Amino acid sequence: MSAADLQRPASRVRAIFSDLDGTIVHFPAWFEEHGIKIVSRDEQAKRAVVESPTGEQRVCRLLPSSTMGDGLVSERTVELIAELRARGVIFVIVTAARKSTLFEREPLLPPSDAYVCETGSRIYRGGLDALDEAWAKGFEEVSGPLERELDVSERPEPLWQLFRRFQAEVPGLKCDARSYYGCFRVDTQGNTAVEAALRACIEAHLPHGITWAMNLGKYDFFPSASGKGNAVAYLQAVYGVRADESCCLFDDDNDLPMAERCAVHYLPGLTSQSVSRAAAEHPEWHVASKAGQGVFAIEECLEQLLERVVREQEGGTVDVEGGGGSGVAAPTASKGPAAAISS
């Protein structure tokens, strides 16, 4: 990607790269503080209905329960993404979620052209049975083979050496490698002493070729050659799409490298302080007027994005960062502790 791509006026949107949690999938812990509530829930039917403060309701798909509670994707969100794809726009889900979470959720997610998980380490094109092995080979010496089933205690690569160091040297740190093969996650659980010890360990021992980012108030560690931004750049090359033809849907700190690869930005929420600051520095970004209101906010973004695509394809003018809206008016929606900008 060249700087010129991002400096020129935006071209027609040909690809959308979208975060998942807080962008497409929404949780009560985040949207209830903005007045949205679940008014009905049928776990067997995998359906729920949410209601806005004005009484507007949306039927939603109810994803398998997680540590964050019920995950909701509105049917209208699914419809809007389908309409965009029907117009030839490539749609890619880019998430930090572990392999097992993506596979469990996939039947209830909007159909996509590609799926990226484990903070950019895994790329699937043409379905979840089609791992992009060429991409994974690029950082195998750091993470090991992604399809290898080997206990983390026996994995010899630098990523897993770091994991075991954290286990041994940072008391009280929650280290999570379950169903992770190209990254791992650690959680200080809000303990300032543990946070300080982790930061000191990172400063002293972070190996070359490994990077970290904040996500949901936790730390994700992954090969520097992967990551959301690099995964997006790789897929742009695969699909023959330029940065100025790319749109990013996002809300959190670990999405910023992905946003840097795109010229058009829509935010259904401002989850972390780093994203709030970035939005303030980029008033051309579109922050939803309903930011933080879960499915209502992402529907607003997708509807305006669809209007833009229709206008572009039918010969209308192309707006830089189109869709209206302002960058900093919406309040920050919390997913947890404020995320610091990572290295």
Side-chain angles (χ1 to χ4, degrees):
M1 180 191 66
S2 69
D5 282 339
L6 294 177
Q7 291 171 353
R8 76 173 88 176
S11 301
R12 291 187 177 186
V13 171
R14 294 182 54 217
I16 300 168
F17 298 92
S18 177
D19 175 48
L20 199 57
D21 291 343
T23 300
I24 299 297
V25 179
H26 298 275
F27 298 87
W30 307 338
F31 61 66
E32 284 180 345
E33 64 185 72
H34 294 273
I36 310 301
K37 59 184 179 181
I38 298 176
V39 294
S40 69
R41 180 182 182 279
D42 187 333
E43 188 170 354
Q44 186 172 359
K46 298 180 180 178
R47 287 287 184 271
V49 176
V50 296
E51 186 174 277
S52 74
T54 60
E56 198 173 1
Q57 294 188 346
R58 290 291 187 275
V59 176
C60 298
R61 299 179 180 185
L62 182 63
L63 274 59
S65 184
S66 69
T67 54
M68 294 182 289
D70 293 333
L72 302 177
V73 179
S74 75
E75 291 292 350
R76 180 59 180 154
T77 296
V78 176
E79 292 170 2
L80 287 164
I81 292 171
E83 290 182 51
L84 285 160
R85 293 183 71 221
R87 285 188 165 269
V89 177
I90 297 162
F91 190 86
V92 179
I93 286 175
V94 186
T95 177
R98 69 190 85 217
K99 175 186 176 182
S100 60
T101 298
L102 177 61
F103 276 58
E104 188 176 31
R105 288 175 167 185
E106 188 269 340
L108 295 172
L109 295 176
S112 302
D113 295 282
Y115 299 87
V116 180
C117 70
E118 290 196 48
T119 313
S121 297
R122 287 180 179 271
I123 294 178
Y124 296 92
R125 291 186 288 131
L128 294 184
D129 58 348
L131 178 69
D132 191 322
E133 296 182 4
W135 166 253
K137 282 287 184 183
F139 47 85
E140 189 172 285
E141 64 180 19
V142 176
S143 66
L146 295 185
E147 297 296 77
R148 176 186 61 189
E149 292 293 342
L150 185 66
D151 188 83
V152 67
S153 64
E154 300 176 12
R155 300 177 193 175
E157 294 81 16
L159 185 66
W160 310 112
Q161 292 176 24
L162 181 65
F163 179 87
R164 293 191 292 271
R165 180 183 288 275
F166 288 155
Q167 285 183 313
E169 299 184 9
V170 186
L173 182 68
K174 182 179 179 181
C175 300
D176 183 4
R178 182 180 63 82
S179 194
Y180 285 123
Y181 304 89
C183 72
F184 67 84
R185 177 169 293 178
V186 301
D187 184 3
T188 64
Q189 302 178 86
N191 186 305
T192 55
V194 175
E195 179 96 18
L198 173 62
R199 291 284 185 141
C201 194
I202 292 171
E203 181 69 23
H205 301 294
L206 186 71
H208 175 74
I210 296 177
T211 302
W212 60 275
M214 297 297 295
N215 181 40
L216 312 177
K218 302 174 177 62
Y219 293 73
D220 288 339
F221 292 82
F222 50 91
S224 301
S226 64
K228 287 190 173 187
N230 289 334
V232 166
Y234 175 80
L235 287 172
Q236 285 170 330
V238 167
Y239 291 122
V241 175
R242 300 191 310 265
D244 63 300
E245 298 172 318
S246 301
C247 171
C248 186
L249 291 167
F250 69 104
D251 72 304
D252 206 352
D253 177 84
N254 70 331
D255 300 321
L256 289 173
M258 175 170 69
E260 290 172 0
R261 302 286 184 173
C262 301
V264 180
H265 307 82
Y266 285 80
L267 294 83
L270 300 170
T271 295
S272 67
Q273 293 299 322
S274 58
V275 172
S276 293
R277 288 194 299 269
E281 294 167 1
H282 294 277
E284 73 278 9
W285 288 4
H286 172 73
V287 179
S289 65
K290 299 176 182 177
Q293 295 187 29
V295 300
F296 297 96
I298 186 58
E299 287 176 13
E300 176 187 327
C301 291
L302 289 169
E303 284 168 356
Q304 293 186 352
L305 188 49
L306 179 60
E307 289 174 5
R308 173 194 178 113
V309 168
V310 171
R311 186 170 64 250
E312 292 168 356
Q313 293 184 351
E314 293 181 354
T317 58
V318 178
D319 296 337
V320 176
E321 290 286 353
S326 61
V328 296
T332 297
S334 175
K335 283 186 190 171
I341 295 179
S342 66
S343 62

